[in-house]
């Protein structure tokens, strides 16, 4: 999303060219319904980049509101070819030491939560609390498995006896459908989302909660 000369690498801003396969859209004159909007494919994600990412973020918002799956390239051209840029470039000249106003001091509630979380995060027995797939398989009947992947993928294949849940429904599911008589193992795709569920459960008072190491991936090659 910048002029044709910079797109071709012949402008005066030091741009050496463009991402291979990228299409050039001229700012302020290309994205109306009667202009080039019809040339943007609706069947694949769209990535927009400009100089710094600020212009492209607004173009991205516009496209997403129209129903496209659009993304703004972080920091734009400054991220692509910073060393070559002679204009629109982040540098010392853009940095200041203007006065800042400090926010309010942490209140008692914040301090209580922060202390509880710090105790949790600094306890190597609780955090990260991951468990290997082989250990779970060897003692499967000793654990309650909670699978938080999408319903479709859960239906296509999951650990025997696993209960399906999600980040949005885990609290209610724990209160209604998931038993509480065994240690828990939370499984997702890679282990990262499971970490969110694990810490939430333990802060709610549930004990012996584990995250399946690398998620469901090591369980089966499919």
């Amino acid at each position: 999303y910048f002029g044709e000369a910079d797109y071709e690498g012949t402008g005066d801003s030091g741009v050496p060219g463009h991402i291979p396969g990228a299409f050039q859209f001229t700012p302020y004159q290309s994205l109306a319904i009667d202009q080039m909007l019809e040339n943007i494919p609706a069947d694949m994600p769209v990535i927009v980049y400009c100089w710094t990412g600020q212009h492209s973020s607004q173009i991205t918002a516009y496209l997403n509101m129209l129903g496209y799956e659009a993304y703004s390239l972080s920091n734009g051209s400054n991220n692509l070819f910073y060393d070559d840029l002679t204009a629109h470039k982040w540098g010392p000249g853009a940095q200041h030491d203007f006065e800042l106003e400090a926010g309010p001091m942490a209140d008692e509630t914040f301090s209580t939560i922060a202390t509880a979380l710090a105790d949790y995060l600094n306890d190597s027995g609780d955090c990260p609390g991951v468990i290997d797939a082989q250990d779970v398989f060897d003692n499967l009947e000793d654990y309650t498995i909670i699978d938080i992947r999408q319903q479709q993928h859960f239906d296509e294949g999951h650990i025997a006896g696993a209960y399906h849940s999600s980040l949005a429904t885990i609290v209610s599911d724990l209160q209604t459908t998931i038993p509480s008589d065994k240690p828990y193992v939370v499984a997702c795709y890679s282990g990262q989302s499971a970490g969110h569920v694990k810490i939430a459960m333990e802060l709610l008072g549930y004990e012996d909660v584990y995250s399946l190491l690398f998620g469901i991936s090591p369980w089966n090659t499919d």
Side-chain angles (χ1 to χ4, degrees):
Y1 196 73
F2 45 47
E4 185 174 359
D6 291 309
Y7 170 84
E8 294 177 344
T10 60
D12 57 6
S13 298
V15 178
H18 54 269
I19 295 176
F23 294 91
Q24 186 259 332
F25 285 73
T26 302
Y28 312 112
Q29 53 182 295
S30 61
L31 281 175
I33 294 177
D34 60 348
Q35 294 173 337
M36 291 182 63
L37 184 62
E38 64 180 11
N39 294 318
I40 298 179
D43 59 348
M44 64 180 67
V46 177
I47 297 175
V48 185
Y49 69 94
C50 61
W51 297 108
T52 64
Q54 293 178 287
H55 211 155
S56 63
S57 70
Q58 296 176 51
I59 301 303
T60 298
Y62 164 72
L63 293 174
N64 281 321
M65 283 189 281
L66 292 176
Y68 295 90
E69 181 186 352
Y71 302 89
S72 177
L73 185 66
S74 178
N75 297 320
S77 298
N78 275 253
N79 203 354
L80 291 173
F81 20 69
Y82 178 86
D83 291 340
D84 294 313
L85 292 179
T86 58
H88 307 286
K89 183 175 182 177
W90 167 261
Q95 192 167 350
H96 305 280
D97 287 313
F98 297 140
E99 183 179 353
L100 293 173
E101 180 176 302
M105 297 298 292
D107 59 21
E108 183 178 353
T109 301
F110 179 92
S111 298
T112 300
I113 295 173
T115 299
L117 283 167
D119 290 342
Y120 172 83
L121 295 173
N122 292 329
D123 186 337
S124 60
D126 288 335
C127 184
V130 296
I131 188 169
D132 187 80
Q134 186 67 59
D135 292 335
V136 177
F137 179 78
D138 292 341
N139 303 279
L140 189 56
E141 294 183 356
D142 296 334
Y143 296 105
T144 295
I145 312 297
I146 303 174
D147 191 322
I148 61 170
R149 294 175 299 146
Q150 295 181 26
Q151 184 72 57
Q152 172 190 346
H153 299 150
F154 177 85
D155 292 341
E156 290 173 354
H158 55 266
I159 298 172
Y163 293 83
H164 182 256
S165 186
S166 68
L167 287 169
T169 63
I170 184 62
V171 174
S172 60
D173 290 340
L174 285 166
Q175 296 171 343
T176 56
T177 60
I178 300 175
S180 58
D181 57 338
K182 300 177 183 179
Y184 302 91
V185 175
V186 185
C188 61
Y189 293 100
S190 65
Q192 293 180 288
S193 295
H196 290 275
V197 170
K198 178 185 181 297
I199 190 173
M201 289 178 61
E202 295 195 324
L203 290 175
L204 287 168
Y206 293 90
E207 298 180 350
D208 297 325
V209 185
Y210 301 92
S211 173
L212 186 61
L213 181 64
F214 300 124
I216 200 70
S217 299
W219 197 266
N220 187 285
T221 54
D222 291 332

